[in-house]
Each structure stands twice: as C-alpha cells, then as structure tokens.
C-alpha cells in the first residue's frame, strides 16, 4: 500500500523562518501567513507586559488578581416619623430649668445679638459668656425675672473683634479671676468649615453642655452668600443633634452688625437678615438710648419659647469689677429711644440725663385731643373694650390704654 508523505513544520530563528518537509496543499500559503501571526503575537505580548510592569511600579501593593467590581450602592437613609402625641409625651426637661439668661436664652438655642458699630456688642457678649461660665445669674435682668440657679458651663468665645492688647486693657485685672471654664480663641477663620472644625473639636473634647459665642459673624462670612448661611445652618444643627444624642446641649450666641443706614438713624435690620433669621431662637437688638452713652436698650425682636414683652430692657455700662452691662430699668421703647433731631440747630443743646427722663412724667399723647379724651371717657363708661374704642377713634389700643391710665390717676374717671 502506498503511504502518504506527511508534512513536517519547523519554526526557528528571528524573524521566524518556516521549513517544510513533505508535501501539503497549504505549503505555499502558510509560508506567508504564519510569520505574520508569529510577529503580531510577539508584539502584543511585549506591549501588555510593559503596561503591567509600569502599573506594578506605581502601585507596588497591587495584586495580579483580576479586580472585582467594588462599586457599592449608596446606603439607604432611614427616616424616623412619630405622631404628635408621641413627641409631646417623650421625657423632657421643663423649659424654665433650661434657662441660661432668664427668658433671653435657653440651653440648645441660638441667640442672634446685633447692634450698630460702637454700641458695645463685644462688651455685652463677654458679660454673657462670663456669667454662663461662672454659673452666675444673668446681670441683664432683675432678680425677679431670673428664677433658677445656673450651673457652670464650658464656653468657647470665638473673638474676631478684640486683639491681645484690647483684652489686656479691658480685662487684665489683678484683683479679679475669671472663670476657668471660659475659653477664648482668636484664630482667623477663612471659611465656615474652618470655624466649625474648631467648634466640633471643642465640643467633642468637653462632652458636656457647651456654649459657643461667635463674635462676630460679619468678619467670617460674606454678607450675600446664601450657600454660606445654608452651610452654617447645617453644621450648627449637626453639632447640636450629635450633642443631644449624647445627653448634653450646645448653645450658640452669634454676634453681628446691623445694616448701615442714614446718619442719625438707627437700623433694626441686621447683617445677613434674609438668611440668618431662620437660624435664631431669639433675636435681640442692642440699641442706643436718649439717656447717655452708658445706657443702652435690649429690644427682643423674637423669642420662640417666651412671649415678647412690650417694654425694652434698659442696661447700664459698668466698669467694676470688670467691664460689663447690668440691668437698669424696664421701660416702653418710646420713653428711652433716641430723640429725633429737629431741623433747627442750637449751639448748646441741653444734655438729657437718665434720671430726668426716667423720673419725668410722660406727656399726654399728642394724638389724643381734648375732644377724643371726652369720647374715650364716654365709651369707656358704657363698658366698651379698649380695642373697640381704638378702632372707632382710629388710634392704637396702646394709646387708649395709656390715656385711660392717665385719666384714672388724675381722678377724671373711676379706677
């Protein structure tokens, strides 16, 4: 039987050379194709090997094992809901026991305190901080309005206003020691993030009730940055919520400027009011009075926990044993507000003293003419309510009340 001749193939040398022994129908074609395949295979082998070596050089800890897909879905947020009845019947501390400055400030709240330049914001802030850190009752209210004793509390005073020399001049006293729980930082913060990093570190270290006083916000945040104020709100709430979950409170006192206005007029709009108003539980304006430069008034614009009083709190600047403000009197605002200047100028205007204004009997309201007085007395004698009298005569209920009070004192109507 005739045996078929088998084809033997050998590849050697570089570039590859192919030798055949025997016969094959693909002999001539393979001589062209096989060298091309061999060269292409070697090219891709060395190319991929170079990439692998470079990757190991820059990532020495990398493994040769194929990477697995490490993408994980974002964690699902959990939201807690509860009925109003459940919220109201949770164990809680009475609001009165949380008072730190009487009705002006409670634990865990945020108080916005603002004033025009030069009225004494830093002096007021320092006095509040000293009272809280020492556990003393606030000096801004009469004893009758401060019913509960306070405990000493850590205070961090972030002061962007006073430098070292100013502090030494105001508070460097040889015969007085300030509370050890009062801390002060003069770090210059370039952003809200930097400031709250400092605050969070302080709160985490103390692990107890802490008060943060920012004096003043105008030096840290741009006036028209909505994003900065939103970030401030979020970070403040995060710190408060974290503290509450651990059983203690973080309270904020934020000092800022009032907006600029015309010369001689007092602005009651504060810096950042379009954004920062939502941050506050209490808003208080420190304003000038007609009683002299050492007498100021505290006007409570907002108080979530207590009713806002009609009167303003008159406080007096005191220099002993250290510079601070103390309660002086409680009066209707129009009795102590700065007197509007008339167009006629005088060379030597008579000074107005605090004692003369507060002891002087208020003149009758000029809106109440003798004719209206008669009508008020007639309506009141018929048993009409003061609000009804005010609407009929187109005057305020407060004016009616003051007129009736004066008429009773004069004996013109029975009390």
């Amino acid at each position: 039987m005739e045996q078929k001749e088998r084809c033997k193939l050998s590849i050697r040398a570089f570039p590859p050379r192919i030798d055949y022994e025997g016969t094959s129908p693909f002999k001539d074609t393979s001589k062209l194709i096989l060298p091309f395949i061999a060269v292409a295979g070697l090219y891709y082998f060395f190319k991929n090997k170079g990439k692998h070596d470079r990757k190991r050089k820059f990532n020495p800890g990398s493994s040769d094992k194929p990477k697995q897909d490490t993408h994980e879905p974002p964690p699902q947020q959990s939201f807690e809901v509860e009925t109003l009845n459940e919220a109201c019947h949770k164990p809680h501390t009475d609001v009165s026991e949380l008072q730190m400055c009487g009705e002006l400030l409670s634990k865990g709240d945020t108080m916005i305190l603002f004033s025009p330049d030069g009225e004494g914001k830093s002096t007021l802030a320092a006095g509040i901080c000293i009272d809280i850190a020492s556990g003393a009752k606030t000096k801004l209210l009469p004893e009758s309005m401060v019913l509960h004793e306070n405990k000493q509390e850590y205070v961090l005073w972030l002061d962007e206003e006073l430098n070292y020399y100013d502090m030494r001049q105001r508070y460097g006293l040889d015969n007085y020691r300030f509370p050890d729980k009062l801390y002060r930082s003069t770090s210059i913060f370039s952003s809200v993030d930097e400031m709250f990093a400092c605050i969070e570190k302080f709160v985490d270290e103390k692990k107890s009730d802490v008060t943060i006083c920012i004096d003043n916000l105008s030096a840290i945040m741009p006036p028209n940055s909505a994003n900065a104020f939103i970030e401030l709100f979020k970070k403040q709430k995060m710190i408060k919520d974290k503290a509450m979950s651990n059983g203690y409170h973080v309270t904020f006192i934020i000092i800022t400027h009032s907006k600029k206005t015309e010369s001689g007029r007092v602005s009651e709009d504060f810096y950042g009011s379009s954004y920062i108003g939502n941050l506050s539980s209490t808003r208080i304006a420190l304003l000038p009075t007609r009683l002299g430069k050492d007498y100021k008034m505290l006007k409570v614009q907002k108080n979530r926990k207590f009713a806002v009083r009609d009167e303003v709190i008159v406080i007096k600047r005191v220099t002993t044993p250290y510079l601070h403000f103390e309660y002086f009197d409680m009066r209707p605002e129009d009795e102590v507000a700065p007197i509007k200047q008339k167009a006629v100028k005088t060379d030597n205007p008579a000074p107005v003293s605090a004692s003369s204004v507060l002891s002087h009997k208020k003149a009758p309201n000029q809106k109440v003419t003798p004719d209206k007085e008669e009508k008020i007395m007639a309506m009141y004698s018929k048993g009409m309510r003061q609000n009804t009298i005010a609407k009929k005569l187109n005057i305020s209920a407060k004016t009616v009340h003051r007129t009736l009070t004066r008429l009773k004192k004069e004996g013109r109507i029975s009390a």
Side-chain angles (χ1 to χ4, degrees):
M1 181 182 292
E2 183 180 356
Q3 294 183 347
K4 292 182 179 180
E5 185 180 6
R6 299 179 66 183
C7 176
K8 294 182 179 180
L9 173 67
S10 62
I11 302 175
R12 60 182 182 272
F14 188 86
R17 189 176 73 248
I18 300 174
D19 295 331
Y20 281 92
E21 294 179 5
T23 60
S24 171
F26 303 104
K27 179 176 180 180
D28 295 333
T29 305
S30 62
K31 284 185 177 181
L32 297 174
I33 296 175
L34 290 177
F36 174 79
I37 294 174
V39 171
L42 289 172
Y43 169 78
Y44 282 104
F45 170 79
F46 285 108
K47 180 181 178 182
N48 291 333
K49 185 176 185 302
K51 285 184 177 180
H52 181 72
D53 290 343
R54 286 194 298 272
K55 183 177 180 180
R56 290 180 63 85
K57 178 180 179 181
F58 292 103
N59 300 279
S62 62
S63 172
D64 292 337
K65 296 180 181 179
K67 285 187 175 181
Q68 297 180 352
D69 185 9
T70 58
H71 178 71
E72 297 180 358
Q76 295 292 328
Q77 290 184 332
S78 60
F79 298 95
E80 295 183 3
V81 296
E82 59 187 1
T83 67
L84 181 59
N85 289 324
E86 290 171 339
C88 292
H89 289 87
K90 280 185 175 181
H92 67 281
T93 305
D94 189 83
V95 173
S96 61
E97 296 180 10
L98 295 176
Q99 293 180 21
M100 303 171 66
C101 297
E103 296 181 0
L104 299 180
L105 181 64
S106 298
K107 289 182 182 292
D109 284 352
T110 298
M111 180 170 72
I112 305 296
L113 181 63
F114 66 98
S115 79
D117 286 334
E119 297 299 331
K121 293 185 300 295
S122 294
T123 300
L124 181 61
I128 295 173
C129 290
I130 292 168
D131 288 341
I132 293 173
S134 61
K137 289 185 176 182
T138 180
K139 298 178 178 62
L140 303 178
L141 294 170
E143 286 282 339
S144 59
M145 293 181 64
V146 187
L147 305 178
H148 298 275
E149 296 289 341
N150 295 328
K151 294 182 179 179
Q152 291 185 350
E153 184 172 308
Y154 287 107
V155 177
L156 176 60
W157 179 14
L158 302 178
D159 185 13
E160 295 278 345
E161 288 270 308
L162 303 178
N163 58 34
Y164 176 75
Y165 176 78
D166 294 332
M167 291 298 296
R168 289 279 300 174
Q169 188 176 24
R170 289 191 183 187
Y171 302 106
L173 308 174
D174 296 330
N175 57 347
Y176 188 85
R177 181 173 178 81
F178 293 99
D180 293 330
K181 288 194 172 185
L182 175 57
Y183 292 79
R184 179 176 175 269
S185 171
T186 55
S187 302
I188 303 300
F189 301 109
S190 60
S191 67
V192 175
D193 288 337
E194 283 188 11
M195 179 178 69
F196 273 93
C198 174
I199 293 172
E200 189 171 9
K201 180 181 178 182
F202 185 83
V203 173
D204 288 344
E205 287 176 351
K206 301 309 176 186
K207 299 186 184 303
S208 65
D209 289 348
V210 171
T211 295
I212 308 297
C213 179
I214 302 174
D215 184 14
N216 71 72
L217 193 63
S218 312
I220 301 170
M221 295 181 61
N224 298 316
S225 175
N227 291 332
F229 279 97
I230 291 171
E231 194 66 19
L232 173 67
F233 177 79
K234 288 180 178 178
K235 290 182 177 297
Q236 180 192 225
K237 188 176 186 304
M238 179 193 70
I239 290 177
K240 285 186 177 184
D241 290 347
K242 182 179 178 181
M244 283 288 289
S245 66
N246 292 319
Y248 49 90
H249 301 86
V250 177
T251 307
F252 282 85
I253 302 172
I254 300 178
I255 316 298
T256 188
H257 289 289
S258 60
K259 291 182 178 179
K260 293 183 179 180
T261 184
E262 300 175 10
S263 179
R265 297 190 62 183
V266 177
S267 173
E268 293 187 21
D269 293 327
F270 55 94
Y271 163 93
S273 57
S274 58
Y275 307 114
I276 202 174
N278 294 329
L279 284 175
S280 60
S281 306
T282 306
R283 284 202 310 268
I284 301 178
L286 175 67
L287 303 172
T289 68
R290 71 179 74 171
L291 313 180
K293 64 179 183 179
D294 288 334
Y295 294 86
K296 310 295 178 182
M297 64 175 169
L298 295 179
K299 182 177 181 180
V300 180
Q301 292 184 340
K302 173 185 176 182
N303 194 327
R304 285 183 183 170
K305 290 187 171 62
F306 301 95
V308 176
R309 298 176 182 271
D310 292 333
E311 298 89 356
V312 296
I313 304 166
V314 181
I315 54 178
K316 182 180 179 181
R317 197 191 313 267
V318 180
T319 56
T320 56
Y322 55 88
L323 184 64
H324 65 284
F325 284 104
E326 288 187 358
Y327 172 80
F328 183 74
D329 204 351
M330 192 89 69
R331 289 278 171 168
E333 182 181 358
D334 56 0
E335 290 188 11
V336 295
I339 301 173
K340 295 181 181 179
Q341 298 296 322
K342 297 180 180 180
V344 180
K345 296 182 179 180
T346 58
D347 295 332
N348 298 307
V352 180
S353 65
S355 58
S356 64
V357 172
L358 294 178
S359 61
H360 180 68
K361 184 178 178 180
K362 188 179 177 182
N365 194 308
Q366 297 302 313
K367 294 179 181 179
V368 182
T369 61
D371 182 53
K372 282 188 178 180
E373 278 187 2
E374 295 295 332
K375 291 179 180 180
I376 290 173
M377 288 190 289
M379 293 178 184
Y380 182 73
S381 64
K382 293 179 181 180
M384 283 191 183
R385 301 182 64 177
Q386 295 182 21
N387 288 338
T388 306
I389 298 173
K391 289 180 180 178
K392 287 185 175 293
L393 297 179
N394 196 26
I395 56 178
S396 69
K398 188 179 291 186
T399 299
V400 173
H401 175 74
R402 288 175 179 167
T403 303
L404 290 171
T405 301
R406 177 172 56 82
L407 293 173
K408 289 175 184 177
K409 287 182 178 179
E410 294 174 357
R412 297 173 62 183
I413 57 175
S414 60

